[in-house]
Amino acid sequence: PGIFNQNANYLIVLVDNDYLRGGGGKPQAVALISLNKGLLREIKVDSVDALDKNLKENIEIPQNLKKDLPNSSWKMADTNFEADNPLNAKLFQWFYQKETGDKSAGVLTLDKNGLNEILKVVGPIILPSKKQISSENFLALSHGADNQLFKDVLKEILNKIFFLSNQNFVGLAGSLGTAFKDKHAVIYFSDPLLFSQVNSLGLTGILPRQISGKVGERDEFLGILETDLGGQDFYLTKNVNLRSTIESSEEITHKLQISFINQSGQVNAKFRETIYLPAGTNLSKASFAGVDILKTISSYSDFGRAVYSVILEVGSPSTSSGQVREEKSLSLEYQDNKKLEFDAGVVTINQEVLKQMGEQD
């Protein structure tokens, strides 16, 4: 209810999840929705690259991103790298205000799959180029597309939703619900009360914080995030296998194997693999394609989690040569070195797995 009684601006950010980042994908287009006492006052849609040209300051890239970004300065297109969506949204708001002068009270982030769910409800749209876009061709046409296509699609969808009568709002709510459920949409509000309300529904993309365990319970956590670094669109499939063993010492050892297959023809897949684990976890072994890489993996703490990160590359030989597409596996072994605490001889182990925003099912 608070949204509909105030004068405020809200952002809708469309990201390209063909280029995965911690927050789902690369920002391509953004819409400003202005409300005046709950009534729509204005919709303004821009491409992110066009807005970045308004940035007069030379903002230094954070130290943790310098290896991942080839640019000399930081801008809005270079956001959405964090695993925690509220942090990404606040940063996007900050850049947007610097580049346009407009403050915003919330951010809805949609990737291409989330927008495609909405297209299924609103039906085909016609772009200024006269090209027809529908849910049947959008994902294919947007593959490797520039900012302009994303801007035009977002603008025409919003025009159809807000300015044409007889909209199927029940269907629209359902399409957004599907996008939220499948982690193709997340939302953030600056107002703490509104944020807590949507967070209780699991819609905010917040990175789950670690809480103190109870006697008789062990909470395990695994978050696997990929960040595309090659600057080229590639198609990478992966298979994740986690095997956990309770040792005689009543400690748990985990063996994680992630197998990657590059399906991209002649494009090499270069990406950062980041693993979020419970605080206090110790990584004891690490290999990639059978080669020991333990010393090359960086480790740090983020949002109370133990984090391990490494840059990987999987080649993709030409299919015309008859070679098989390259497959490599990342293998990790880790422990938290804490004994299980039994309650009346029983312990419950809860394994939580985080799905990355924007990741294909």
Side-chain angles (χ1 to χ4, degrees), residues 3-8 35-40:
I3 299 176
F4 302 107
N5 295 322
Q6 58 181 292
N7 301 335
L35 299 180
N36 184 1
K37 296 183 179 179
L39 298 178
L40 180 64

Side-chain angles (χ1 to χ4, degrees), residues 164-209:
L164 291 185
S165 59
N166 300 321
Q167 273 301 329
N168 180 6
F169 289 107
V170 173
L172 283 170
S175 66
L176 272 175
T178 299
F180 280 118
K181 178 177 67 70
D182 294 338
K183 296 297 287 287
H184 295 299
V186 284
I187 196 166
Y188 168 78
F189 289 114
S190 302
D191 182 280
L193 179 58
L194 286 174
F195 179 78
S196 65
Q197 289 173 343
V198 293
N199 188 51
S200 66
L201 300 173
L203 308 180
T204 62
I206 192 170
L207 182 69
R209 280 26 173 195

Side-chain angles (χ1 to χ4, degrees), residues 155-170:
K155 183 176 182 179
E156 295 306 320
I157 286 179
L158 292 176
N159 284 341
K160 198 167 184 179
I161 290 173
F162 287 102
F163 299 119
L164 291 185
S165 59
N166 300 321
Q167 273 301 329
N168 180 6
F169 289 107
V170 173

